[in-house]
Amino acid sequence: MNRLTLAVSRAIARVTDSALGPYQTAVLRIGLGLTWLLFLLREYPHRQELYGPDSPWSWDLAAQLVGSNDAFTVLLWSDSQVWFEAVYALAVLFSLLLLLGWRTRTMAALFMAGVLTLQNRSVFMGDGGDNVLHIMAVYLVFTRCGQVWSLDARRARRGEEARARGERTPDRVGPALWLVLGLVLLLGSLAGRTDGDWFIPALLWAVWLGQAVWWLAGRLARTDQPRILLDVVANVVHNGALLVIMAEACLIYATAGWYKVQGSRWQDGTAVHYPLNLEYFSPWPSLAELFTASGTLVMLVTYVTVVVQVAFPFTLFNRRVKNVLLTFMILEHTVIAVVLGLPFFSLAMIAADAVFLPTSFLLRTGRLAARARERLRQGGRGEVAAVPPQRRPEGAPGGPSGGPPAAGTAGAAPVTDKVPGSRT
């Protein structure tokens, strides 16, 4: 019984003391933000046809559908062209700020609102990746995804360094942002714009109130106990959301695999052949023809895809097998992005797969990225001036004794006590 009690206490401590998977959730944040940002930028010339006034799915049709399913979208608050352009621009901005990790908790909520707003305006626009983005954007709000690789982490680090020096670092941007968003939520609620779906407005209000409680606990509490309690609650919510995200990714692969098993084309090994011969899914016809030229290769890819998707949830208990299958799935999504022309679907799925990546691999990747960034910075500043070669004193073995300098050392400055002298 003592062993069981000790194991339970350790599990509780692990869940409450820290937010698990900080690097995995950071990659998820970066991946989702990058996917939606690139999609919005690529479709910017066609935004009117996709989500705006020129869309085949008209404003009236969208209003009828939202009236029946109570989906959340602020685009139906007004049919003004100015309102549409402002919402689209804000969705781009929120994606960029989430990617950079600026005010991550607030940006995660606004990012979710932007994704739901545009996708619920025209529900038929998407290629499957929009569903993954739709779900994961909601889950991301509950995570502490800005602990590492974010502007928030850098600001927290600088704040700690300033406090260690005895300096104060007042935060004026946070309260100002909180007041503006609170005003927008209040006006939307009073105008009856949030009377449909209750969950998303309630979640936005919860994030808004949570930010206020967190700020008050840090400024007004005389002891650290309130802040510790809030930190424990945030860790529990984060870890629960991370577990749900992992379960959702497993569910996506498991259901996809089992549905494929029931299909006759997947059973006879020819399913991959057909989309590669559709014009819509063949941005590179020559590449698709090269891939489908071998019937054996098509059959192997078809069967291996089904096996990997069905088996992946069961491999989580074996780290090595899981990493092998995860590598294969990421490679498969990369091929889908290039061969089938579905880059945003693949990016969304790779971002969801990132929660299973080993922490050691992510740390190595982060170090490599930091080194590459430093090299780019050094290259941007120009090459460092070469240090003049030292000259041996006269009479030293192997050195010049008077006479002209050796080849390649012309113009070198004299050396005094191992420090180069001034040059004229």
Side-chain angles (χ1 to χ4, degrees):
M1 193 63 177
N2 292 334
R3 291 182 179 180
L4 178 61
T5 304
L6 183 60
V8 172
S9 62
R10 287 178 178 175
I12 294 175
R14 182 171 176 80
V15 172
T16 58
D17 287 350
S18 62
L20 302 177
Y23 293 95
Q24 286 79 1
T25 52
V27 174
L28 179 65
R29 182 200 82 234
I30 295 171
L32 295 180
L34 180 64
T35 301
W36 190 237
L37 175 64
L38 293 178
F39 175 79
L40 294 179
L41 293 178
R42 192 196 73 170
E43 300 298 344
Y44 184 80
H46 314 291
R47 64 192 184 283
Q48 302 288 349
E49 292 78 13
L50 291 177
Y51 305 110
D54 298 335
S55 173
W57 190 252
S58 66
W59 194 90
D60 293 332
L61 290 175
Q64 293 179 24
L65 180 61
V66 169
S68 62
N69 61 12
D70 292 331
F72 176 84
T73 174
V74 302
L75 278 180
L76 296 183
W77 290 8
S78 172
D79 58 354
S80 168
Q81 176 68 27
V82 176
W83 176 250
F84 167 75
E85 295 290 352
V87 170
Y88 197 95
L90 287 175
V92 173
L93 178 62
F94 297 154
S95 302
L96 177 61
L97 294 179
L98 179 70
L99 171 65
L100 298 176
W102 185 81
R103 308 288 171 174
T104 313
R105 181 72 71 178
T106 302
M107 287 304 120
L110 296 177
F111 173 78
M112 174 198 66
V115 170
L116 299 183
T117 288
L118 292 175
Q119 290 187 354
N120 290 334
R121 166 61 178 85
S122 298
V123 294
F124 299 107
M125 301 298 174
D127 51 15
D130 57 319
N131 295 326
V132 178
L133 198 64
H134 190 113
I135 297 171
M136 294 299 175
V138 178
Y139 296 154
L140 194 67
V141 178
F142 297 93
T143 64
R144 307 182 75 174
C145 55
Q147 299 178 99
V148 296
W149 296 343
S150 66
L151 296 179
D152 286 349
R154 187 179 69 173
R155 186 176 69 252
R157 184 172 60 253
R158 291 180 175 178
E160 292 178 358
E161 294 173 354
R163 285 190 294 271
R165 296 191 301 267
E167 302 175 358
R168 295 185 60 185
T169 54
D171 182 13
R172 298 182 179 86
V173 176
L177 183 63
W178 181 82
L179 288 173
V180 171
L181 296 179
L183 180 61
V184 173
L185 278 174
L186 181 61
L187 293 177
S189 300
L190 294 177
R193 301 298 186 180
T194 60
D195 292 342
D197 179 25
W198 65 269
F199 176 74
I200 299 302
L203 180 57
L204 294 175
W205 275 114
V207 172
W208 186 80
L209 293 174
Q211 294 286 76
V213 173
W214 186 274
W215 186 86
L216 291 174
R219 299 301 188 279
L220 304 181
R222 297 182 179 180
T223 65
D224 293 336
Q225 298 301 320
R227 192 62 176 263
I228 293 175
L229 176 61
L230 292 176
D231 199 50
V232 169
V233 173
N235 290 335
V236 172
V237 173
H238 166 92
N239 294 329
L242 181 59
L243 178 62
V244 172
I245 290 172
M246 298 173 71
E248 184 68 37
C250 290
L251 184 63
I252 291 173
Y253 282 116
T255 53
W258 285 110
Y259 272 111
K260 287 181 175 66
V261 169
Q262 302 175 40
S264 59
R265 294 293 178 265
W266 291 95
Q267 293 175 7
D268 59 27
T270 61
V272 175
H273 171 80
Y274 293 98
L276 291 173
N277 286 275
L278 295 176
E279 183 179 357
Y280 182 78
F281 292 109
S282 298
W284 316 99
S286 57
L287 186 60
E289 291 177 3
L290 179 64
F291 187 80
T292 57
S294 173
T296 303
L297 179 61
V298 171
M299 183 186 66
L300 288 176
V301 172
T302 302
Y303 285 156
V304 171
T305 299
V306 175
V307 171
V308 169
Q309 290 183 350
V310 172
F312 178 72
F314 303 100
T315 64
L316 298 181
F317 303 101
N318 189 302
R319 181 176 301 179
R320 293 182 179 179
V321 178
K322 181 263 294 183
N323 291 339
V324 171
L325 294 188
L326 187 61
T327 302
F328 177 83
M329 288 192 298
I330 293 176
L331 179 62
E332 180 185 34
H333 287 304
T334 304
V335 173
I336 290 174
V338 177
V339 179
L340 296 181
L342 299 173
F344 302 110
F345 165 77
S346 298
L347 278 175
M349 289 305 304
I350 292 175
D353 293 340
V355 296
F356 300 104
L357 290 173
T359 302
S360 58
F361 169 77
L362 295 177
L363 289 175
R364 286 196 298 269
T365 304
R367 287 193 291 267
L368 291 175
R371 292 174 185 174
R373 182 181 60 186
E374 290 300 324
R375 290 177 180 176
L376 289 176
R377 286 181 178 179
Q378 293 177 1
R381 289 194 296 263
E383 300 215 358
V384 181
V387 179
Q390 294 185 359
R391 299 180 60 189
R392 297 178 183 272
E394 286 191 29
S401 54
T409 62
V415 177
T416 306
D417 294 333
K418 299 183 180 180
V419 179
S422 58
R423 301 184 61 174
T424 58

